[in-house]
Every structure is written in structure tokens, then in C-alpha cells.
Amino acid sequence: MKIIIFKNLITLISLLLFCHSLSAQINRESVVKRHIIHVNKIDSLSSLSVGNGRFAFTVDATGLQTFPERYEKGVCLGTQSEWGWDSFKNTAGYKIQEAYKYYNQYGRKVPYVVQLNEPLRAKEATNYFRQNVHRLQLGNIGLELIKSNGTLASEGDIKNINQTLDPWTGEIKSLFTFEGVSVEVRTFSGQDQDIVSAQVKSALIKAGRLKVRIRFPYPTGEWSDFGTNQKDGDRHRSTIINSQQNGGLISHQLDSAAYFTSFSWSGLAKLNEKSKHYFILLPDKSSNSFSFSCLFSPYKSAKAIPSFEVIKTNSTSKWKAFWLSGAAIDFQGSTDVRANELERRIILSQYLTKIQCAGDYPPQETGLTYNSWFGKPHLEMHWWHATHFALWGRPALLTPSMNYYFKVKSKAVQIAALQGFKGARWQKMTDNNGNESPSSIGAMLIWQQPHIITFSELAYRANPNKSILEKYKSLVFATADFMASFANYDPIKKRYVLGPGLIPAQERFKADTTYNPTYELAYWEWALKTAQAWRERSGLKRNAHWDDVIKKLSPLPIKDGVYLATESSPDSYTNPEYKTDHPSVLGTYGMLPETDLLDKKVMKKTFDLVWNTWTWTDTWGWDFPMTAMSAARLGLPEKAVDALMMDIKTNTYLINGHNYQDDRLRIYLPGNGGLLTAVAMMCAGWDGNTVANPGFPKDGTWKVKWEGFKKMM
């Protein structure tokens, strides 16, 4: 009896602590402003961005895009939007079917859109559809600073740099001197339109030595695009449509895209063409202050372009509203030396995911800064970009990108039907219209399939009513139909099997020999059960086939008391190659809740093996929060924090908050989003958890104050 009372007392204390965390009052402005970014030199990895989730504008130490070539190999000076896409002309008449490769799957030939290297025609078709469509760099807006000898400034002429980004207001303030003359630039982005606005103050304006330069690059068609290609001038057209006393309009026509750049400015100024695709906005010499706004749009704006003061007010008010919404966290008082750095990463990751990932479409992995994979989003990464919005109490930032699945559903249904499956098979490497891009790995991935069920469940938990069920149930049911169809019944072993004909989230396994990856099996079971719950909530009968798959799904593969990466790889932990890339086996109980397939003792032993033997130097930015989530669920809070703060290159967070991976991926937003998801779980926990702050050590070194988080499943 005493033991029972003691256990109940512990539970009560835990619940009281948990409720105390929920009722914490945090001075949010103070926390955010603790992490104002300070830049004091020209550094290609220290550029700063403003944006609104659908548009982003990245600047150098001058507050505009004055030295874009200097930043090419860093966090480059991009101007990108969700709508800005282009395709080179398909003069050779390539068809996507030329990229098909047929795999023997379930006793039949199944086509997949992959990268082919032969014959030559197929290779060229593959390359064309990987390149096209490609996301555009819309334009470069920088300062043209003229030295006293009449030549243009170089980066070495910029001195005494003192630049800040205040996440609370969305303002970048840049101070520097040029030949001893001070320059101040204040930069904002409109939160309701694709507008960048800046105010410049300097005696150089009266001297006629400071101008604003606008250049329009041509897309490179390469894997990345930094917005610096000034070649190929004859392949596109830039034209001043009008230039008036207080504004102007430039059109830009490419192969398949056309858009407009509209300007308004304070005082008197002239908009002139300096050379092809190169324009100058020249302020009048009557004042030392000049401000302008620039709107990028696929259509001519019928409304006046808002002034700098209007955009400043818009940015300040909308950012304040953002920070006062949803969840907040405060580590002040913690004695763990990592606490301030973790808090910095959290604040800046919220800022970055808000401006780069909170739009109407799943973002690319480098957001709206520069292209990776030709600017195309990867739907398996959508989980990492977007899940945190719901857990941080901001579901309105998740649901717009969920609408994308309605837009592309018909093509997802076509893909499934072409391959002989039911339902909708969601694309991997895709675009705004849901077209598949050839990818030898991407075409074979399956773990993106259940994501829309995760998002729908999060949306329902945030607002559990019939309208949510009615809105998303068609997506949930079409997804479940595909998943049940993809699971192949083995009549000999009397079980459903995933694969061969797949590549798991850990992309180290060959598609034609891989089957039953542990994480995907668990995700299949959870998603199908959740889809059944949606049927019941909607007043519908359970789907008999889904239930049969759930009941007879293969067990999670085990060898030597630990979960294997896949059933087809008994050497999961003895083959060195298989201990690199994503340790996605940890997602089985981390990203996912406990399922009927899971044995937590086996999972704990698996975690320990992965923790001690994994090649952590060969991982990605979201692997660390995934590991932290698994550690938290397993009751290992010290390991959860250690995972988030592991000293590995791909877990680097730059001065601007970006998650650095390598020379190719200098920013990686799935890492930022994953960090926020893990922190939410480490604070608020998940269904069934009764421990306060389950992901943080209880030794007194962490003082964790939070409010507004939502539990994970």
C-alpha cells in the first residue's frame, strides 16, 4: 500500500510540475532580443535574410545585395519566391517516359522515374526533367558605391561594419563606413506581399556617389543557383515599362516565365537602364536620406507600392504578433554551459522557418535562399520543415502547405495507377504542380507517404471538429489506400511485406533487394491505424483491407536483440556503410509514438548500439533532433540534450542561425525544423507522458520555463 501511495505521489508531483511549465509567464521580447544577430565583417556565411514565408531576400554586410559574387560559396544573396519558376525550352521534345526504368516488383514490371545514364537520349531526357522546372533568382538589389576616384567600391572598401538583425521586428540594420563616410541601411520585408524595402542614410547620396543597382540574372540550370549569372544576356529580356517621379516598373521575360519588379521611392529619383539587365535607381542629391520599396510579382500591380514606413510598420507589427503567438521557451538560470547556445538556435530557427518554410508549398531544403536540387522540394523533408508549427501552437503556419496535396493529388493518383497501386502515391522530388523529377533514390523512397496523415492528425488535434475531418479525409484515405496496396502479401509466411522495390529513409540500401525497413514498417502501422480512426470519426465503417494489413504486417526485424535497419540487411551493424547516413531506425520510437509492433526494451538496446557505434560524422542535420526525440521517449534526457548539441559539422549552427552541412549545403532547413520539433517534445512530451520536461536532465543544471507547446502523438 505504501508503495502504491508513493508512486501516486510521484505521479502527482510530476503532473503539478508539468502544469507549472504550462502556466509559465515568459517575457518573450526579452528572450528573443537576447539573440539579436551581430555581424561585424564581410563573411559569406554570415548573410542575413528578411521574408514572410513565401518570399525571402538575403543581404550582405551592407544591408542589400552589393557583393553577391563574394557570397556565392556561402549563404548566398538570394531573392526567391514560391511562384518564381522557369523552364528552358524543350526543343528536343523530351518526354518523361524516357526516364522510366522498370523494376521487377511483386511479380510484375513497375516503372519508376530515375536517373538514366544510357542511352544518350535517355540521359539527356533525364537531365532535362531534373533541370526543369527550376526555381528562379528573381533579381539582385545592391548598392553602387562610387569611390572618390570614380571607380566602383570593392568589398575591401567597406569598413567599420556594425550590422544587426532583430528577430522581434524583422529589421536588418547595417552601419558601415566607405572612404570615411558613414552609411546606414535599414532593411525590411513586407509580411503580406513579396516586397523588400530599405532606407539609406549617408552624405554619399548628396555627393552623387551612392546609387541603388538592380540586376536580373539568367538561371544557370545547375543543381544550385546563386543568382549571379550575368551571362546569356541574349536569352532573356529586361525592360523598363515606365519610370515616373516616384516609382517605376521593370518587366523580366525568360524562357517560360515572366514577372514584374515594381518600385516606389521617397523624394525624387530616376530609374535608368545602365546596360542589358542592369538598372540604376539614382536618388536626387537634395537629401542625405533615401528610401525605396520593391515588389516582385508575376502580375502588374494594380495598387500603389507601399512606402518604407508602411513596410516597416507592417513588419514590426506582424513579427510581434508571431512571437506573441504559440509557444515560447526560456532557459535563463540554467547552469549547463550549452543552454544559451541551444536557446539561440531555437529563437533563430523559429525566425528562419517562419520566413523560409511557412508558405503555401512545401519548401526546398535550402528554403528561399538559393537552389539545391534545382530549387525543388522533397516531400519526405516536409515533415522536418513543418511538423513543429503545430507543436509550437501555430497550426495556421502548417495548414497552407497541406493544401498543396490537394493540388497535386491527381498526379499522385496517376503515379500510383501507372505502377499498379491504388490510392495516391505522393511525389518525392517535385515542384509546385506535382510533377515528378527523375531521381534514382527519390523515386524509390516511401517514407513521405504517411506524412500527410501526420499533418492531418496534428491539424485535427489542434482543432478537433468535423470540418477538419471533412477537409482532409480524402487525402488521408487516398494515402492509406496506396499504403495498403503497396504492402505485398506473402502467402507462404502469411504476412504483408514492404519491398523489394524501395529505398528506406536511410539511403544506403539498394532498391531491388531491400525489404521491410524497421522505421517504415512502424510508420505504416501507425498511419493505417490513424486512417482507420479518421474513418470512425467520420462515421464510416473501418476499411477491411487496411485492417488485414495492420493485423498481418511483418514484425519489426530483430537480430541479436536489436532492431535492424531492414530485414534484408542482417549486417546492419557490422557493415560500416550501413552505420552512416540517417540512423532512421531511431525514428521508429522518436518521430513515431509507441506502436503495437514496438518492444521498448529492444528499442533501448538499439538506441545504445546506435549511440555508441554510429559514424556520426556521416550524418545530416535532422539526425540529431531525431536522436533526441528517441532519447526523450526512452527516458534518457541527458542523451536528448547531448544529441541536440553534438559537436559534429552537420550539427553546426551559423551566426545567422542556419544549419550548416558542407560546402554544397551551407544551409539546411530540415535541421532547423527538426530542432524545433525535438524541443517541443522535450518540453511538452507526448500522449501518455506524465514527466515534466521529459527531454531535459533533472539534475538542476537546466531551468526550463515554457508555455504554449502541444503534445506530440
Side-chain angles (χ1 to χ4, degrees), residues 306-362:
S307 67
F308 170 81
E309 290 299 330
V310 170
I311 296 301
K312 172 188 170 185
T313 300
N314 173 260
S315 175
T316 301
S317 63
K318 289 296 180 71
W319 273 109
K320 181 179 179 180
F322 168 80
W323 290 113
L324 293 179
S325 72
I329 192 167
D330 184 351
F331 292 146
Q332 193 168 43
S334 298
T335 58
D336 191 305
V337 295
R338 301 169 295 179
N340 186 69
E341 171 59 16
L342 180 56
E343 188 181 271
R344 182 189 77 90
R345 295 182 182 190
I346 292 168
I347 294 298
L348 298 185
S349 291
Q350 289 179 81
Y351 179 83
L352 289 171
T353 54
K354 169 62 175 68
I355 69 173
Q356 306 262 5
C357 304
D360 296 322
Y361 298 88

Short mmCIF file of all heavy atoms in Angstrom, two decimals, residues 306-362:
data_model
loop_
_atom_site.label_atom_id
_atom_site.label_comp_id
_atom_site.label_asym_id
_atom_site.label_seq_id
_atom_site.Cartn_x
_atom_site.Cartn_y
_atom_site.Cartn_z
N PRO A 306 3.65 50.06 -51.38
CA PRO A 306 3.78 50.67 -50.05
C PRO A 306 5.15 51.29 -49.82
O PRO A 306 6.16 50.79 -50.31
CB PRO A 306 3.53 49.50 -49.09
CG PRO A 306 2.79 48.49 -49.89
CD PRO A 306 3.29 48.63 -51.30
N SER A 307 5.17 52.36 -49.05
CA SER A 307 6.41 53.06 -48.74
C SER A 307 7.22 52.30 -47.70
O SER A 307 6.74 51.34 -47.08
CB SER A 307 6.09 54.45 -48.20
OG SER A 307 5.46 54.34 -46.92
N PHE A 308 8.44 52.75 -47.50
CA PHE A 308 9.30 52.16 -46.48
C PHE A 308 8.64 52.20 -45.11
O PHE A 308 8.67 51.21 -44.36
CB PHE A 308 10.65 52.89 -46.44
CG PHE A 308 11.51 52.50 -45.26
CD1 PHE A 308 12.25 51.34 -45.29
CD2 PHE A 308 11.56 53.31 -44.12
CE1 PHE A 308 13.03 50.98 -44.20
CE2 PHE A 308 12.34 52.95 -43.04
CZ PHE A 308 13.08 51.78 -43.07
N GLU A 309 8.05 53.33 -44.75
CA GLU A 309 7.43 53.46 -43.43
C GLU A 309 6.29 52.47 -43.26
O GLU A 309 6.10 51.90 -42.18
CB GLU A 309 6.95 54.89 -43.20
CG GLU A 309 8.07 55.90 -43.04
CD GLU A 309 8.96 55.62 -41.84
OE1 GLU A 309 8.46 55.04 -40.85
OE2 GLU A 309 10.16 55.97 -41.88
N VAL A 310 5.51 52.27 -44.32
CA VAL A 310 4.41 51.31 -44.25
C VAL A 310 4.93 49.89 -44.07
O VAL A 310 4.42 49.11 -43.25
CB VAL A 310 3.53 51.42 -45.51
CG1 VAL A 310 2.52 50.27 -45.57
CG2 VAL A 310 2.80 52.76 -45.53
N ILE A 311 5.96 49.54 -44.83
CA ILE A 311 6.54 48.19 -44.73
C ILE A 311 7.20 48.00 -43.36
O ILE A 311 7.08 46.92 -42.75
CB ILE A 311 7.55 47.94 -45.87
CG1 ILE A 311 6.84 47.96 -47.22
CG2 ILE A 311 8.27 46.62 -45.66
CD1 ILE A 311 5.74 46.93 -47.36
N LYS A 312 7.86 49.01 -42.86
CA LYS A 312 8.46 48.93 -41.53
C LYS A 312 7.40 48.63 -40.48
O LYS A 312 7.57 47.75 -39.62
CB LYS A 312 9.18 50.25 -41.21
CG LYS A 312 9.67 50.37 -39.78
CD LYS A 312 10.18 51.77 -39.50
CE LYS A 312 10.45 51.97 -38.02
NZ LYS A 312 10.84 53.37 -37.71
N THR A 313 6.30 49.36 -40.52
CA THR A 313 5.22 49.15 -39.56
C THR A 313 4.60 47.77 -39.73
O THR A 313 4.32 47.06 -38.75
CB THR A 313 4.13 50.23 -39.74
OG1 THR A 313 4.72 51.51 -39.52
CG2 THR A 313 2.98 50.01 -38.78
N ASN A 314 4.41 47.35 -40.97
CA ASN A 314 3.86 46.04 -41.26
C ASN A 314 4.74 44.93 -40.71
O ASN A 314 4.27 43.99 -40.05
CB ASN A 314 3.69 45.90 -42.77
CG ASN A 314 3.27 44.51 -43.20
OD1 ASN A 314 4.10 43.72 -43.64
ND2 ASN A 314 1.98 44.20 -43.08
N SER A 315 6.04 45.03 -40.96
CA SER A 315 6.97 44.02 -40.48
C SER A 315 7.01 43.99 -38.95
O SER A 315 6.91 42.92 -38.34
CB SER A 315 8.38 44.29 -41.02
OG SER A 315 9.32 43.39 -40.48
N THR A 316 7.11 45.13 -38.34
CA THR A 316 7.23 45.20 -36.89
C THR A 316 6.00 44.62 -36.20
O THR A 316 6.11 43.83 -35.25
CB THR A 316 7.45 46.65 -36.44
OG1 THR A 316 8.64 47.16 -37.06
CG2 THR A 316 7.60 46.75 -34.94
N SER A 317 4.82 44.98 -36.68
CA SER A 317 3.60 44.51 -36.04
C SER A 317 3.38 43.02 -36.26
O SER A 317 2.97 42.29 -35.34
CB SER A 317 2.40 45.32 -36.54
OG SER A 317 2.20 45.13 -37.94
N LYS A 318 3.65 42.55 -37.49
CA LYS A 318 3.42 41.13 -37.78
C LYS A 318 4.42 40.23 -37.06
O LYS A 318 4.06 39.13 -36.61
CB LYS A 318 3.47 40.90 -39.29
CG LYS A 318 2.29 41.48 -40.06
CD LYS A 318 0.98 40.83 -39.67
CE LYS A 318 -0.22 41.39 -40.42
NZ LYS A 318 -0.27 41.02 -41.83
N TRP A 319 5.66 40.69 -36.93
CA TRP A 319 6.64 39.88 -36.21
C TRP A 319 6.33 39.85 -34.72
O TRP A 319 6.46 38.81 -34.06
CB TRP A 319 8.06 40.39 -36.45
CG TRP A 319 8.66 39.78 -37.68
CD1 TRP A 319 8.91 40.39 -38.87
CD2 TRP A 319 9.05 38.41 -37.85
NE1 TRP A 319 9.44 39.50 -39.77
CE2 TRP A 319 9.54 38.27 -39.17
CE3 TRP A 319 9.03 37.30 -37.03
CZ2 TRP A 319 10.00 37.06 -39.67
CZ3 TRP A 319 9.49 36.08 -37.53
CH2 TRP A 319 9.97 35.97 -38.83
N LYS A 320 5.89 40.96 -34.17
CA LYS A 320 5.49 40.96 -32.76
C LYS A 320 4.34 39.97 -32.54
O LYS A 320 4.35 39.19 -31.58
CB LYS A 320 5.08 42.36 -32.32
CG LYS A 320 4.67 42.44 -30.86
CD LYS A 320 4.29 43.87 -30.45
CE LYS A 320 3.86 43.92 -28.99
NZ LYS A 320 3.49 45.30 -28.58
N ALA A 321 3.36 39.99 -33.44
CA ALA A 321 2.24 39.07 -33.33
C ALA A 321 2.70 37.62 -33.42
O ALA A 321 2.18 36.74 -32.71
CB ALA A 321 1.21 39.37 -34.42
N PHE A 322 3.68 37.35 -34.30
CA PHE A 322 4.22 36.00 -34.41
C PHE A 322 4.83 35.55 -33.09
O PHE A 322 4.52 34.46 -32.58
CB PHE A 322 5.27 35.93 -35.52
CG PHE A 322 6.08 34.66 -35.53
CD1 PHE A 322 5.57 33.50 -36.08
CD2 PHE A 322 7.36 34.62 -34.98
CE1 PHE A 322 6.30 32.32 -36.09
CE2 PHE A 322 8.10 33.45 -34.98
CZ PHE A 322 7.57 32.29 -35.53
N TRP A 323 5.70 36.37 -32.53
CA TRP A 323 6.40 35.97 -31.30
C TRP A 323 5.46 35.87 -30.11
O TRP A 323 5.72 35.09 -29.17
CB TRP A 323 7.53 36.95 -31.00
CG TRP A 323 8.67 36.85 -31.97
CD1 TRP A 323 9.06 37.80 -32.88
CD2 TRP A 323 9.57 35.75 -32.14
NE1 TRP A 323 10.13 37.35 -33.61
CE2 TRP A 323 10.48 36.11 -33.18
CE3 TRP A 323 9.70 34.50 -31.54
CZ2 TRP A 323 11.49 35.25 -33.60
CZ3 TRP A 323 10.71 33.66 -31.97
CH2 TRP A 323 11.60 34.03 -32.99
N LEU A 324 4.38 36.60 -30.12
CA LEU A 324 3.42 36.52 -29.02
C LEU A 324 2.41 35.40 -29.21
O LEU A 324 1.60 35.12 -28.31
CB LEU A 324 2.68 37.85 -28.86
CG LEU A 324 3.53 39.03 -28.39
CD1 LEU A 324 2.70 40.30 -28.30
CD2 LEU A 324 4.19 38.73 -27.04
N SER A 325 2.44 34.73 -30.36
CA SER A 325 1.55 33.60 -30.61
C SER A 325 2.25 32.30 -30.25
O SER A 325 3.48 32.24 -30.11
CB SER A 325 1.15 33.56 -32.09
OG SER A 325 2.25 33.15 -32.89
N GLY A 326 1.46 31.26 -30.09
CA GLY A 326 2.04 29.93 -29.92
C GLY A 326 2.91 29.80 -28.69
O GLY A 326 2.67 30.41 -27.65
N ALA A 327 3.95 28.99 -28.83
CA ALA A 327 4.79 28.61 -27.69
C ALA A 327 6.00 29.51 -27.55
O ALA A 327 6.39 30.23 -28.47
CB ALA A 327 5.23 27.16 -27.84
N ALA A 328 6.59 29.44 -26.36
CA ALA A 328 7.84 30.14 -26.07
C ALA A 328 8.61 29.33 -25.02
O ALA A 328 8.01 28.55 -24.26
CB ALA A 328 7.58 31.55 -25.56
N ILE A 329 9.90 29.53 -24.99
CA ILE A 329 10.76 28.81 -24.05
C ILE A 329 11.85 29.74 -23.56
O ILE A 329 12.30 30.63 -24.29
CB ILE A 329 11.36 27.55 -24.71
CG1 ILE A 329 12.01 26.63 -23.68
CG2 ILE A 329 12.31 27.89 -25.85
CD1 ILE A 329 12.33 25.25 -24.23
N ASP A 330 12.27 29.52 -22.30
CA ASP A 330 13.27 30.40 -21.66
C ASP A 330 14.18 29.52 -20.82
O ASP A 330 13.71 28.81 -19.93
CB ASP A 330 12.53 31.42 -20.79
CG ASP A 330 13.46 32.44 -20.15
OD1 ASP A 330 14.70 32.27 -20.23
OD2 ASP A 330 12.94 33.40 -19.57
N PHE A 331 15.47 29.55 -21.11
CA PHE A 331 16.44 28.76 -20.36
C PHE A 331 17.21 29.59 -19.34
O PHE A 331 18.20 29.11 -18.76
CB PHE A 331 17.46 28.10 -21.31
CG PHE A 331 16.88 27.03 -22.18
CD1 PHE A 331 17.35 26.85 -23.48
CD2 PHE A 331 15.88 26.20 -21.73
CE1 PHE A 331 16.83 25.85 -24.30
CE2 PHE A 331 15.36 25.20 -22.54
CZ PHE A 331 15.83 25.02 -23.83
N GLN A 332 16.82 30.82 -19.11
CA GLN A 332 17.58 31.69 -18.20
C GLN A 332 17.64 31.05 -16.81
O GLN A 332 16.64 30.57 -16.29
CB GLN A 332 16.94 33.05 -18.11
CG GLN A 332 17.83 34.10 -17.45
CD GLN A 332 17.31 35.51 -17.64
OE1 GLN A 332 16.12 35.75 -17.52
NE2 GLN A 332 18.19 36.44 -17.96
N GLY A 333 18.83 31.07 -16.23
CA GLY A 333 19.04 30.45 -14.93
C GLY A 333 19.65 29.07 -15.01
O GLY A 333 20.08 28.51 -14.00
N SER A 334 19.73 28.50 -16.21
CA SER A 334 20.37 27.19 -16.37
C SER A 334 21.87 27.33 -16.17
O SER A 334 22.48 28.33 -16.57
CB SER A 334 20.09 26.63 -17.77
OG SER A 334 18.71 26.42 -17.97
N THR A 335 22.47 26.33 -15.57
CA THR A 335 23.92 26.34 -15.38
C THR A 335 24.66 25.50 -16.40
O THR A 335 25.89 25.56 -16.47
CB THR A 335 24.27 25.86 -13.96
OG1 THR A 335 23.75 24.54 -13.75
CG2 THR A 335 23.71 26.81 -12.90
N ASP A 336 23.95 24.69 -17.15
CA ASP A 336 24.59 23.95 -18.25
C ASP A 336 25.11 24.98 -19.26
O ASP A 336 24.35 25.83 -19.74
CB ASP A 336 23.59 23.01 -18.90
CG ASP A 336 24.25 22.03 -19.87
OD1 ASP A 336 24.95 22.50 -20.79
OD2 ASP A 336 24.06 20.81 -19.73
N VAL A 337 26.38 24.88 -19.59
CA VAL A 337 27.01 25.90 -20.44
C VAL A 337 26.43 25.91 -21.86
O VAL A 337 26.65 26.86 -22.61
CB VAL A 337 28.54 25.67 -20.51
CG1 VAL A 337 29.17 25.87 -19.15
CG2 VAL A 337 28.87 24.27 -21.05
N ARG A 338 25.68 24.88 -22.21
CA ARG A 338 25.11 24.80 -23.56
C ARG A 338 23.75 25.47 -23.66
O ARG A 338 23.20 25.60 -24.75
CB ARG A 338 24.98 23.33 -23.97
CG ARG A 338 26.30 22.58 -23.97
CD ARG A 338 26.09 21.08 -24.12
NE ARG A 338 25.40 20.52 -22.96
CZ ARG A 338 25.07 19.23 -22.83
NH1 ARG A 338 25.38 18.37 -23.80
NH2 ARG A 338 24.43 18.81 -21.76
N ALA A 339 23.20 25.90 -22.55
CA ALA A 339 21.81 26.37 -22.53
C ALA A 339 21.62 27.61 -23.41
O ALA A 339 20.65 27.70 -24.17
CB ALA A 339 21.36 26.65 -21.10
N ASN A 340 22.50 28.58 -23.31
CA ASN A 340 22.34 29.80 -24.08
C ASN A 340 22.45 29.53 -25.58
O ASN A 340 21.70 30.10 -26.38
CB ASN A 340 23.37 30.85 -23.68
CG ASN A 340 23.13 32.18 -24.37
OD1 ASN A 340 22.16 32.88 -24.10
ND2 ASN A 340 24.03 32.54 -25.27
N GLU A 341 23.38 28.65 -25.95
CA GLU A 341 23.53 28.32 -27.36
C GLU A 341 22.29 27.59 -27.88
O GLU A 341 21.83 27.86 -29.00
CB GLU A 341 24.78 27.48 -27.59
CG GLU A 341 24.92 26.90 -28.99
CD GLU A 341 24.95 27.92 -30.12
OE1 GLU A 341 25.16 29.13 -29.85
OE2 GLU A 341 24.76 27.52 -31.28
N LEU A 342 21.74 26.68 -27.08
CA LEU A 342 20.53 25.99 -27.52
C LEU A 342 19.38 26.98 -27.65
O LEU A 342 18.62 26.92 -28.62
CB LEU A 342 20.16 24.88 -26.53
CG LEU A 342 18.90 24.08 -26.87
CD1 LEU A 342 18.98 23.47 -28.27
CD2 LEU A 342 18.64 22.99 -25.83
N GLU A 343 19.26 27.91 -26.72
CA GLU A 343 18.21 28.92 -26.81
C GLU A 343 18.39 29.78 -28.06
O GLU A 343 17.41 30.11 -28.74
CB GLU A 343 18.22 29.79 -25.56
CG GLU A 343 17.04 30.75 -25.47
CD GLU A 343 17.10 31.61 -24.23
OE1 GLU A 343 16.57 31.19 -23.19
OE2 GLU A 343 17.70 32.72 -24.30
N ARG A 344 19.63 30.13 -28.39
CA ARG A 344 19.90 30.90 -29.60
C ARG A 344 19.44 30.13 -30.83
O ARG A 344 18.78 30.69 -31.72
CB ARG A 344 21.40 31.21 -29.71
CG ARG A 344 21.78 32.06 -30.93
CD ARG A 344 23.29 32.15 -31.10
NE ARG A 344 23.86 30.93 -31.68
CZ ARG A 344 24.02 30.70 -32.99
NH1 ARG A 344 23.63 31.62 -33.87
NH2 ARG A 344 24.56 29.58 -33.42
N ARG A 345 19.78 28.87 -30.91
CA ARG A 345 19.38 28.06 -32.05
C ARG A 345 17.86 27.98 -32.16
O ARG A 345 17.30 28.01 -33.27
CB ARG A 345 19.97 26.65 -31.93
CG ARG A 345 21.49 26.61 -31.98
CD ARG A 345 22.01 25.18 -31.89
NE ARG A 345 23.46 25.14 -31.89
CZ ARG A 345 24.20 24.04 -32.02
NH1 ARG A 345 23.60 22.87 -32.16
NH2 ARG A 345 25.52 24.10 -32.00
N ILE A 346 17.19 27.89 -31.04
CA ILE A 346 15.73 27.80 -31.04
C ILE A 346 15.11 29.09 -31.56
O ILE A 346 14.22 29.06 -32.42
CB ILE A 346 15.22 27.48 -29.62
CG1 ILE A 346 15.63 26.06 -29.21
CG2 ILE A 346 13.71 27.65 -29.53
CD1 ILE A 346 15.42 25.76 -27.74
N ILE A 347 15.56 30.23 -31.06
CA ILE A 347 15.00 31.52 -31.49
C ILE A 347 15.24 31.74 -32.97
O ILE A 347 14.32 32.08 -33.74
CB ILE A 347 15.59 32.67 -30.67
CG1 ILE A 347 15.17 32.57 -29.20
CG2 ILE A 347 15.18 34.02 -31.26
CD1 ILE A 347 13.67 32.67 -28.98
N LEU A 348 16.48 31.54 -33.42
CA LEU A 348 16.79 31.82 -34.81
C LEU A 348 16.17 30.79 -35.75
O LEU A 348 15.83 31.12 -36.89
CB LEU A 348 18.31 31.89 -35.00
CG LEU A 348 19.00 33.01 -34.22
CD1 LEU A 348 20.48 33.08 -34.58
CD2 LEU A 348 18.34 34.36 -34.46
N SER A 349 15.98 29.56 -35.28
CA SER A 349 15.30 28.56 -36.11
C SER A 349 13.83 28.93 -36.29
O SER A 349 13.25 28.69 -37.36
CB SER A 349 15.43 27.17 -35.49
OG SER A 349 16.78 26.71 -35.58
N GLN A 350 13.21 29.49 -35.27
CA GLN A 350 11.83 29.97 -35.44
C GLN A 350 11.78 31.08 -36.49
O GLN A 350 10.88 31.10 -37.34
CB GLN A 350 11.28 30.50 -34.12
CG GLN A 350 10.99 29.43 -33.09
CD GLN A 350 10.46 30.04 -31.81
OE1 GLN A 350 9.29 30.37 -31.69
NE2 GLN A 350 11.36 30.21 -30.85
N TYR A 351 12.72 32.01 -36.42
CA TYR A 351 12.76 33.10 -37.39
C TYR A 351 12.95 32.56 -38.81
O TYR A 351 12.23 32.92 -39.73
CB TYR A 351 13.88 34.08 -37.03
CG TYR A 351 14.01 35.23 -38.00
CD1 TYR A 351 13.21 36.35 -37.89
CD2 TYR A 351 14.95 35.19 -39.03
CE1 TYR A 351 13.31 37.41 -38.79
CE2 TYR A 351 15.06 36.23 -39.94
CZ TYR A 351 14.25 37.35 -39.81
OH TYR A 351 14.35 38.38 -40.72
N LEU A 352 13.92 31.67 -38.97
CA LEU A 352 14.25 31.17 -40.31
C LEU A 352 13.13 30.32 -40.90
O LEU A 352 12.83 30.43 -42.08
CB LEU A 352 15.56 30.39 -40.26
CG LEU A 352 16.82 31.22 -40.03
CD1 LEU A 352 18.02 30.31 -39.77
CD2 LEU A 352 17.10 32.14 -41.21
N THR A 353 12.54 29.45 -40.10
CA THR A 353 11.47 28.62 -40.65
C THR A 353 10.23 29.46 -40.94
O THR A 353 9.46 29.13 -41.86
CB THR A 353 11.12 27.45 -39.72
OG1 THR A 353 10.81 27.94 -38.41
CG2 THR A 353 12.27 26.46 -39.64
N LYS A 354 10.02 30.54 -40.19
CA LYS A 354 8.90 31.42 -40.49
C LYS A 354 9.09 32.10 -41.85
O LYS A 354 8.14 32.21 -42.63
CB LYS A 354 8.75 32.48 -39.40
CG LYS A 354 7.78 33.62 -39.71
CD LYS A 354 6.36 33.15 -39.92
CE LYS A 354 5.39 34.31 -40.10
NZ LYS A 354 5.60 35.05 -41.37
N ILE A 355 10.29 32.56 -42.17
CA ILE A 355 10.48 33.29 -43.42
C ILE A 355 10.77 32.38 -44.60
O ILE A 355 10.60 32.78 -45.75
CB ILE A 355 11.60 34.36 -43.31
CG1 ILE A 355 12.98 33.73 -43.18
CG2 ILE A 355 11.33 35.31 -42.16
CD1 ILE A 355 14.12 34.73 -43.26
N GLN A 356 11.17 31.13 -44.33
CA GLN A 356 11.58 30.25 -45.42
C GLN A 356 10.62 29.08 -45.67
O GLN A 356 10.64 28.51 -46.76
CB GLN A 356 12.97 29.65 -45.11
CG GLN A 356 14.04 30.66 -44.79
CD GLN A 356 14.94 31.01 -45.96
OE1 GLN A 356 14.72 30.56 -47.07
NE2 GLN A 356 15.96 31.80 -45.72
N CYS A 357 9.82 28.71 -44.68
CA CYS A 357 9.08 27.43 -44.76
C CYS A 357 7.59 27.56 -44.49
O CYS A 357 6.90 26.53 -44.47
CB CYS A 357 9.66 26.44 -43.75
SG CYS A 357 11.42 26.11 -43.90
N ALA A 358 7.08 28.74 -44.26
CA ALA A 358 5.69 28.89 -43.80
C ALA A 358 4.77 29.36 -44.92
O ALA A 358 3.87 30.15 -44.68
CB ALA A 358 5.64 29.86 -42.62
N GLY A 359 4.97 28.86 -46.11
CA GLY A 359 4.18 29.30 -47.24
C GLY A 359 3.12 28.31 -47.67
O GLY A 359 2.69 27.44 -46.90
N ASP A 360 2.71 28.43 -48.92
CA ASP A 360 1.64 27.61 -49.47
C ASP A 360 2.13 26.32 -50.11
O ASP A 360 1.31 25.54 -50.59
CB ASP A 360 0.86 28.42 -50.52
CG ASP A 360 0.16 29.62 -49.91
OD1 ASP A 360 -0.34 29.51 -48.77
OD2 ASP A 360 0.13 30.68 -50.56
N TYR A 361 3.44 26.12 -50.14
CA TYR A 361 4.02 24.95 -50.79
C TYR A 361 5.12 24.37 -49.89
O TYR A 361 5.79 25.11 -49.16
CB TYR A 361 4.64 25.32 -52.14
CG TYR A 361 3.65 25.86 -53.13
CD1 TYR A 361 3.35 27.22 -53.18
CD2 TYR A 361 3.00 25.01 -54.03
CE1 TYR A 361 2.42 27.73 -54.09
CE2 TYR A 361 2.07 25.50 -54.94
CZ TYR A 361 1.79 26.87 -54.96
OH TYR A 361 0.88 27.34 -55.86
N PRO A 362 5.33 23.06 -49.94
CA PRO A 362 6.49 22.51 -49.24
C PRO A 362 7.77 23.18 -49.76
O PRO A 362 7.94 23.32 -50.98
CB PRO A 362 6.45 21.02 -49.61
CG PRO A 362 5.02 20.75 -49.96
CD PRO A 362 4.53 22.02 -50.61
#
